[in-house]
Amino acid sequence: MSVEYSGTGDPARSLALLWRTREKPSRRGGDLSVDRIVRAAIELADAEGLAALSMRRVAERLGVGTMSLYTHVPGKGELLDVMLDTAYGQTARPDDVPGGWRGRLTQIARENWALHLRHPWLLQVATTRPPLGPNVTAKYEYELRAVDGIGLTDLEMDAVVTLVDNYVHGAVRSAVEAAQAARRTGMTDEQWWRVHAPYLEKVMDPRRFPVAARVGLAAGQEYQAAGDPAGAFEFGLQRLLDGVQMLVAARGDTAGPAPAVMPG
């Protein structure tokens, strides 16, 4: 899988594009705009993956000449930054989440999980230098507020948010790959398992692999597949939050859980 990198465009142009400080009207009287270009680019990446993304392909999707895109977007690097910022703006951010900080982090993780399933190409972008746009900033603000006031230092708050986001990014890959395998092969995981399970039972010698045979049989019967990405995600998320709980307790949080209603 090829990897693209965010933050490769011209910094001044990327920031101007992200914050829409220099939007230009179409010179030819059309309705072309940054938002329309970005929507088309996201639709293209959703349908065909990030490898298919180019200024030419986006222009074809819009039915315009390639050069007309450059009136609004300097290049592919800047376009990718705005695509990311736009996608990150799609997560739900309710103010009233039950369960204190743990419930809020659970909701955030599930929203990020769902976002990656809607836009699998997000997994193809390295964001160690994230686009510093309004949606990325609002997402970061919301996630930080989930753990604000529970006894952590500012650096620990940043680390916890990063930990949860990184966990989701890693865990969702198996779910994305499972969905892509089903589309490309025309066979669901359950169908695949039913075909392979009888042969596996014949070759899996419990005397040679006693633990693998026992656990694998139990898992296969439960999942009717080789694995359960969604179940593994939920299990891992709660274990991760158990660790955060220990950190909060170690910081002497004697005031109890933060209120469920997040500050405005």
Side-chain angles (χ1 to χ4, degrees), residues 166-188:
N166 286 346
Y167 168 71
V168 175
H169 191 273
V172 76
R173 186 175 297 275
S174 59
V176 168
E177 290 173 350
Q180 291 174 339
R183 287 195 299 270
R184 293 176 183 178
T185 65
M187 181 182 291
T188 67

Side-chain angles (χ1 to χ4, degrees), residues 115-151:
L115 178 68
H116 282 77
L117 290 181
R118 291 196 302 272
H119 303 300
W121 55 269
L122 289 172
L123 293 175
Q124 297 175 258
V125 186
T127 56
T128 52
R129 298 174 180 176
L132 303 177
N135 291 314
V136 168
T137 304
K139 181 175 182 290
Y140 182 53
E141 169 76 14
Y142 180 82
E143 293 176 355
L144 286 173
R145 282 161 49 200
V147 291
D148 193 20
I150 66 173

Side-chain angles (χ1 to χ4, degrees), residues 35-219:
D35 287 343
R36 187 173 172 222
I37 293 169
V38 171
R39 283 196 301 271
I42 290 176
E43 290 170 359
L44 177 62
D46 286 345
E48 301 183 37
L50 210 55
L53 181 69
S54 68
M55 298 295 276
R56 179 183 62 80
R57 289 295 308 279
V58 174
E60 289 175 354
R61 195 175 187 91
L62 290 168
V64 299
T66 303
M67 294 308 297
S68 64
L69 265 61
Y70 290 99
T71 302
H72 303 273
V73 180
K76 182 178 175 181
E78 293 85 0
L79 175 60
L80 182 59
D81 282 351
V82 185
M83 289 171 62
L84 287 167
D85 189 68
T86 301
Y88 288 142
Q90 296 175 0
T91 56
R93 296 164 193 166
D95 290 331
D96 190 0
V97 179
W101 65 263
R102 186 164 181 141
R104 293 194 292 273
L105 286 181
T106 297
Q107 184 268 338
I108 286 167
R110 289 172 179 167
E111 277 295 315
N112 285 328
W113 168 275
L115 178 68
H116 282 77
L117 290 181
R118 291 196 302 272
H119 303 300
W121 55 269
L122 289 172
L123 293 175
Q124 297 175 258
V125 186
T127 56
T128 52
R129 298 174 180 176
L132 303 177
N135 291 314
V136 168
T137 304
K139 181 175 182 290
Y140 182 53
E141 169 76 14
Y142 180 82
E143 293 176 355
L144 286 173
R145 282 161 49 200
V147 291
D148 193 20
I150 66 173
L152 303 180
T153 67
D154 286 352
L155 291 181
E156 287 170 342
M157 289 168 57
D158 176 77
V160 166
V161 166
T162 300
L163 177 65
V164 172
D165 285 350
N166 286 346
Y167 168 71
V168 175
H169 191 273
V172 76
R173 186 175 297 275
S174 59
V176 168
E177 290 173 350
Q180 291 174 339
R183 287 195 299 270
R184 293 176 183 178
T185 65
M187 181 182 291
T188 67
D189 281 350
E190 183 176 355
Q191 292 169 332
W192 180 90
W193 180 254
R194 287 178 179 175
V195 171
H196 286 78
Y199 296 98
L200 183 61
E201 291 175 1
K202 292 178 181 179
V203 299
M204 181 68 78
D205 186 349
R207 293 169 297 182
R208 185 180 179 187
F209 308 108
V211 180
R214 187 187 77 240
V215 175
L217 177 62

